């Protein structure tokens, strides 16, 4: 169980690390994130910059708390809270007919929808399981090879979470039709 907890911790840490760095990679990226929060239509305009900073601070806090062994349970608890709030905001916006682009990872993404909420709820479930497991397995010794395997498992899973919109688009986009070749006569 300790190895599953470690894999979940690394998965969440990596996902939130990408989210933070994506939003902070440039001033434009952060401004775009603030603009996407505005498109949810849930908050007064004067609260948008503060709200975006609070989300970013929460995400960075998750990364830091999950990285330090003594604060792992707090990191999981914060992840559950942040993911719950983000999911509630997404659901409310969608129910009101708003579909802003998902800028969860700092880059322009697909309009928010059910898969984004499902992704967040899955991550929250991983955090809840991790919280229980971290308390139950606190101080359990780990074999280095098995711990490395747990970490190595988390990396591609985190990549799948981060690139979910691209993967979905890959399998749902309309096929591009090739233009007919132009013959020697220029037709």
């Amino acid at each position: 169980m300790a190895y599953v907890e470690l894999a979940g911790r690394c998965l969440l840490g990596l996902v939130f690390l990408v989210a933070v760095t994506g939003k902070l990679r440039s001033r434009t990226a952060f401004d775009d994130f603030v603009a996407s929060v505005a498109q949810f239509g849930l908050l007064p305009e004067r609260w948008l910059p503060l709200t975006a900073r609070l989300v970013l601070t929460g995400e960075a806090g998750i990364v830091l708390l999950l990285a330090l062994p003594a604060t792992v349970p707090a990191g999981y608890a914060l992840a559950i809270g942040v993911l719950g709030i983000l999911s509630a905001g997404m659901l409310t916006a969608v129910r009101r007919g708003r579909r802003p682009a998902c800028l969860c990872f700092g880059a322009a993404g697909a309009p928010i929808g059910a898969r984004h909420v499902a992704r967040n709820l899955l991550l929250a479930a991983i955090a809840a399981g991790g919280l229980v497991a971290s308390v139950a397995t606190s101080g359990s010794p780990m074999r280095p090879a098995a711990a490395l395997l747990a970490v190595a498992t988390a990396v591609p899973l985190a990549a799948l979470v981060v690139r979910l919109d691209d993967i979905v688009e890959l399998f749902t986009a309309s096929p591009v039709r090739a233009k007919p070749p132009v013959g020697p006569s220029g037709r």
Side-chain angles (χ1 to χ4, degrees):
M1 186 182 224
Y3 300 109
V4 173
E5 184 275 325
L6 178 60
R9 183 178 353 148
C10 291
L11 167 68
L12 289 168
L14 288 169
V15 166
F16 282 105
L17 180 62
V18 171
V20 169
T21 57
K23 292 173 187 122
L24 290 179
R25 74 180 188 282
S26 70
R27 178 66 187 187
T28 302
F30 182 76
D31 290 344
D32 289 347
F33 175 63
V34 173
S36 77
V37 173
Q39 292 174 359
F40 278 70
L42 303 176
L43 299 168
E45 189 172 334
R46 68 181 185 278
W47 292 6
L48 297 173
L50 175 62
T51 301
R53 284 184 180 88
L54 287 173
V55 168
L56 194 57
T57 301
E59 292 173 340
I62 292 165
V63 173
L64 291 173
L65 292 170
L66 290 176
L68 302 171
T71 59
V72 167
Y76 282 130
L78 182 57
I80 293 166
V82 168
L83 289 162
I85 290 168
L86 294 174
S87 297
M90 287 179 176
L91 278 172
T92 303
V94 169
R95 286 187 179 150
R96 292 181 179 178
R98 296 183 173 263
R99 304 263 328 258
C102 175
L103 296 183
C104 301
F105 302 107
I112 62 164
R115 76 171 168 262
H116 299 98
V117 174
R119 176 200 62 208
N120 285 356
L121 293 177
L122 176 62
L123 291 172
I126 291 168
L131 177 58
V132 171
S134 70
V135 173
T137 62
S138 179
S140 297
M142 288 194 204
R143 291 180 286 162
L148 183 59
L149 180 60
V151 172
T153 301
V155 173
L157 292 176
L160 286 173
V161 170
V162 170
R163 303 310 303 191
L164 177 65
D165 285 339
D166 294 329
I167 293 166
V168 169
E169 184 180 330
L170 180 66
F171 291 104
T172 60
S174 304
V176 178
R177 296 180 187 226
K179 294 181 181 177
V182 177
S185 64
R187 299 184 308 157

